[in-house]
């Protein structure tokens, strides 16, 4: 092992930094793209450097990642809205991550007695630095959490390795601190304790006895468990985990295992042949993995596992490199659905392990040095070109469609619309509507007509958008409510405002909900000036069942669901046998997302009125949302038994089988829903997004 040479270390670090700069230089002149417009630029907590919001809330409305949020807020403080500064920070973080990876890999090689640890670490770090799969993390500002998590993970690994060989008291606490910062940068860092456990088995630890190693392992595991709980609750609270976000359903264990077996091969293929890279992929193999593909993937992993066991003892660095790559992918194997299900940025930390694996297997060959240099230059050139693709939204999505014409044209249309090229945006949305039935052509046509002051025509376009399936989204409902209000049709406008608040698509900043809530309040003030008097009456006459029932319906129609539920409860207290009040209570509670309480109310109504198909169907919807699928199926089937032409019940059975991952049954029931509706276009439009996701 060569002696420590500070000058050589500085030269190696400088070369790696220069390689990063050359590979991703165009990023410094790129603008804001994609989710930056929603998740970065409008966020007030970033603009005001609001430490309270950053440290204790979901600053961008979606994720609790205070380390990421603080870095973005500091960029706003330093650079305002100039994208150059943001990109400079991201590139600097990537450089630091590369240097941290080099240091960690050098310590790992030294700990295993490698004869040339600095050379191996340099080449592995170089490949990690310039690989084209890193272009997304470096160029996409909203993906900065990936860079930060990588930086803190490599620092934690470096400190951990130092603690195994040094008797100094600081490395192991520093490893815990760095790991905590990684977890607060990105949730996928939770894999690290598993790798640390493997590390303790493979790497000699002269300065760390068994008790010390167990202590650090349990500390890492406790941090990971706490972070997993926080991130899971955050995802549930931000509506990131629901049946609409589950793009391929929440299938059974076999389907989840099939996806988990196949996804690493997707990333391995992109790592070895980084061509046709895209910000979004159409991973058809994930929707319903074929049995032969699952068997082939399982056999391949079994063979690799046996090979690693047999040969790994002689090549521990290769074993650890492969383990790092695979373990880093575990959080993004789609066990819990991610959006998108696969992305270049997800493999950011894992690439270091793959580079170490390759370096450990190829070192010592006469041709390895020149070949590695040539490969690094080629990869850097591809990364340079890929960075140019990220210069603007229009270029990014134009290139993506050129790579895979099957991708949706909606992001490109959004980009063209943002640049004022409305006609081109509508052309792309027209193609998308013809291809997939996407309703956003009608929505954007309505937006354009609103801008032109042609409100009656805009109203027709927006109503068509909702009939085509856009009624499940906030934006067209909100715009429809605003158009109706401007046309003086206030009673009709309240409904779209309320549907905006009920829609479950993402609204990170809450701006759409805020506008809808304000619109609903305005209309309530105009349409129901007697509300204060009505509230006083229902409070004064809790035993008046008729009054409570009528007031409950009135409050429900106005979107005041909590007050409607209170009226129903008072009415039921006075008349326990009033099944309509129990039904209305269940409906009000469903509107507020309290499915457990709603199901209890609906069961009470069913006990009093067991032959009402709507009651059974709504009870099934509650059970479906609660993930109680057998109960949901029994209730919805009962609704169909009572009313065979009940197409909403057939649709809900399709959704149920979609969530189970039973594609044939889901397709059959969605077809039944359309057939039992008599071919109603609105039902066909509601079914279409599900059918497009089925194999």
């Amino acid at each position: 092992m060569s002696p420590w040479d500070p000058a050589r270390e500085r030269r190696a670090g400088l070369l790696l930094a220069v390689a990063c700069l050359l590979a991703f230089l165009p990023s410094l002149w790129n603008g804001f793209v994609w989710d930056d417009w929603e998740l970065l630029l409008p966020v007030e907590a970033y603009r005001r450097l609001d430490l309270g919001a950053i440290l204790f809330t979901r600053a961008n409305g979606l994720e609790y990642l205070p380390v990421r949020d603080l870095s973005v807020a500091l960029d706003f403080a330093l650079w305002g809205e100039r994208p150059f500064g943001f990109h400079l920070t991201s590139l600097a973080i990537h450089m630091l991550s590369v240097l941290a990876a080099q240091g960690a890999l050098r310590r790992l090689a030294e700990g295993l007695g490698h004869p040339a640890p600095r050379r191996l670490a340099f080449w592995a770090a170089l490949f990690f630095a310039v690989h084209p799969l890193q272009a997304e993390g470096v160029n996409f500002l909203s993906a900065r959490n990936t860079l930060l998590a990588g930086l803190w993970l490599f620092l934690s690994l470096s400190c951990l390795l130092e603690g195994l060989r040094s008797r100094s008291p600081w490395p192991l606490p520093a490893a815990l601190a760095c790991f905590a910062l990684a977890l607060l940068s990105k949730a996928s860092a939770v894999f690290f304790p598993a790798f640390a456990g493997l590390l303790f088995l493979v790497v000699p630890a002269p300065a760390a006895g068994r008790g010390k190693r167990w202590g650090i392992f349990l500390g890492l595991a406790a941090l990971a468990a706490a972070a997993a709980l926080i991130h899971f609750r955050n995802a549930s609270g931000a509506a990131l985990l629901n049946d609409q976000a589950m793009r391929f359903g929440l299938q059974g264990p076999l389907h989840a295992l099939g996806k988990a077996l196949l996804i690493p091969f997707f990333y391995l293929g992109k790592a070895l042949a980084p061509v046709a890279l895209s910000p979004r992929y159409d991973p058809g193999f994930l929707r319903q993995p074929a049995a032969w593909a699952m068997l082939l993937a399982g056999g391949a992993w079994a063979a690799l596992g046996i090979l690693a066991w047999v040969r790994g003892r002689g090549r521990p660095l290769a074993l650890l490199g492969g383990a790092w790559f695979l373990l880093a992918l575990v959080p993004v194997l789609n066990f819990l659905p991610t959006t998108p299900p696969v992305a270049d940025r997800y493999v950011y930390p894992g690439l270091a392990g793959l580079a170490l694996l390759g370096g450990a297997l190829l070192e010592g060959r006469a041709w390895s040095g020149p070949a590695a240099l040539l490969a690094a230059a080629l990869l850097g050139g591809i990364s340079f070109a890929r960075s140019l693709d990220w210069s603007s939204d229009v270029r990014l999505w134009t290139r993506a469609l050129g790579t895979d014409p099957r991708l949706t044209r909606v992001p490109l249309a959004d980009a063209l619309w943002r640049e004022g090229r409305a006609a081109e945006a509508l052309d792309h949305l027209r193609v998308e509507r013809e291809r997939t039935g996407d309703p956003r052509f009608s929505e954007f046509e309505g937006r354009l007509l609103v801008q032109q002051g042609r409100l009656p025509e805009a109203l027709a376009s927006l109503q068509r958008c909702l009939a085509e399936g856009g009624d499940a989204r906030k934006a067209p409902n909100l715009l429809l409510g605003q158009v109706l209000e401007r046309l003086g049709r206030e009673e009709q406008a309240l409904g779209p405002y309320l549907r905006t608040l009920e829609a479950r698509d993402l609204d990170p900043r809450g701006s759409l909900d805020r506008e809808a809530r304000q619109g609903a309040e305005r209309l309530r003030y105009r349409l129901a000036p007697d509300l204060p008097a009505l509230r006083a009456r229902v409070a004064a006459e809790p035993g008046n069942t008729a009054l409570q029932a009528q007031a409950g319906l009135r409050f429900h129609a106005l979107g005041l669901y909590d007050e409607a539920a209170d009226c129903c409860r008072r009415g039921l207290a006075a008349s326990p046998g009033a099944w309509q009040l129990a039904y209305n209570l269940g409906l009000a509670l469903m509107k507020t997302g309290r499915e457990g309480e709603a199901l209890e109310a609906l069961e009470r109504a069913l006990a009093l009125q067991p032959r009402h198909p709507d009651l059974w169907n709504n009870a099934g919807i509650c059970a479906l949302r609660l993930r109680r699928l057998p109960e949901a199926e029994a209730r919805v089937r009962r609704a169909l038994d009572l009313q065979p032409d009940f197409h909403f019940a057939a649709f809900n059975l399709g959704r149920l089988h979609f969530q189970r991952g039973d594609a044939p049954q889901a397709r059959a029931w969605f077809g039944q829903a359309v057939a039992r509706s008599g071919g109603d276009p609105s039902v066909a439009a509601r079914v279409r997004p599900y059918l497009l996701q089925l194999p």
Side-chain angles (χ1 to χ4, degrees), residues 235-522:
S236 300
L240 294 175
L241 291 179
N242 58 65
D243 63 325
Q244 299 300 320
M246 293 177 179
R247 298 298 180 89
F248 307 105
L250 190 57
Q251 296 90 347
L254 184 61
H255 194 159
L257 178 62
K259 292 191 297 181
L261 290 171
L262 291 169
I263 286 175
F265 285 108
F266 172 84
Y267 289 120
L268 187 60
K270 290 296 181 184
L272 296 178
V275 295
L277 300 181
S278 174
R280 181 174 289 173
Y281 297 99
D282 182 31
F285 68 91
L286 294 183
R287 294 179 187 147
Q288 191 73 28
W292 66 266
M294 293 169 59
L295 288 173
L296 187 62
W301 287 122
L304 288 172
I306 294 170
L307 182 63
W309 176 257
V310 173
R311 301 292 301 274
R313 287 169 291 182
R315 293 179 179 270
L317 280 172
L319 175 66
L320 289 172
W324 177 274
F325 172 69
L326 293 175
L327 289 172
L329 289 179
V330 168
V332 291
L333 291 182
N334 224 234
F335 289 112
L336 287 177
T338 53
T339 303
V342 291
D344 293 352
R345 61 187 180 273
Y346 293 168
V347 77
Y348 181 86
L351 273 179
L354 198 59
L356 177 62
L357 171 63
L361 292 177
L362 298 176
E363 65 171 335
R365 291 170 171 62
W367 47 266
S368 61
L373 187 60
L374 180 62
L378 178 62
L379 293 174
I382 298 173
S383 293
F384 188 95
R386 186 72 186 128
S387 294
L388 291 172
D389 292 343
W390 284 84
S391 60
S392 71
D393 278 304
V394 171
R395 178 164 181 169
L396 176 66
W397 294 109
T398 300
R399 288 299 298 261
L401 282 168
T403 298
D404 186 355
R406 297 171 300 173
L407 295 175
T408 175
R409 293 172 177 262
V410 171
L412 177 56
D414 280 332
L416 291 166
W417 182 272
R418 199 178 295 115
E419 291 188 1
R421 298 157 64 179
E424 295 175 71
L426 288 173
D427 286 341
H428 284 285
L429 291 172
R430 186 180 293 108
V431 172
E432 191 65 22
R433 181 175 67 176
E434 293 169 357
R435 190 171 69 96
T436 66
D438 191 288
R440 272 168 280 204
F441 171 81
S442 299
E443 176 189 341
F444 277 66
E445 183 183 58
R447 291 184 182 282
L448 181 61
L449 292 168
V450 168
Q451 291 177 4
Q452 296 171 349
R454 297 157 62 183
L455 296 186
E457 295 168 82
L459 176 61
S461 292
L462 292 168
Q463 289 173 330
R464 185 167 59 251
C465 170
L466 266 60
E468 292 169 347
D471 57 333
R473 295 180 52 247
K474 293 180 181 292
N477 276 298
L478 174 62
L479 187 57
L480 177 61
Q482 292 169 336
V483 169
L484 287 167
E485 187 176 3
R486 288 173 64 180
L487 288 171
R489 296 160 67 172
E490 294 179 339
E491 290 187 8
Q492 297 176 45
L494 182 59
Y497 283 141
L498 297 179
R499 286 197 299 271
T500 303
L501 296 170
E502 295 161 16
R504 296 194 171 200
D505 56 324
L506 296 179
D507 180 19
R509 295 177 291 122
S511 57
L512 300 178
D513 281 352
R514 186 162 49 250
E515 289 186 57
R517 198 172 290 110
Q518 291 169 352
E521 285 296 331
R522 282 194 307 272

Side-chain angles (χ1 to χ4, degrees), residues 572-604:
L572 282 168
S575 301
W579 70 267
Q580 298 96 332
L581 283 171
Y583 182 27
N584 291 338
L585 173 60
L587 294 178
L589 291 169
M590 287 176 70
K591 292 288 189 180
T592 61
R594 293 145 69 183
E595 279 80 12
E597 297 175 60
L599 186 56
E600 291 180 10
L602 293 171
E603 294 285 2
R604 179 174 179 176

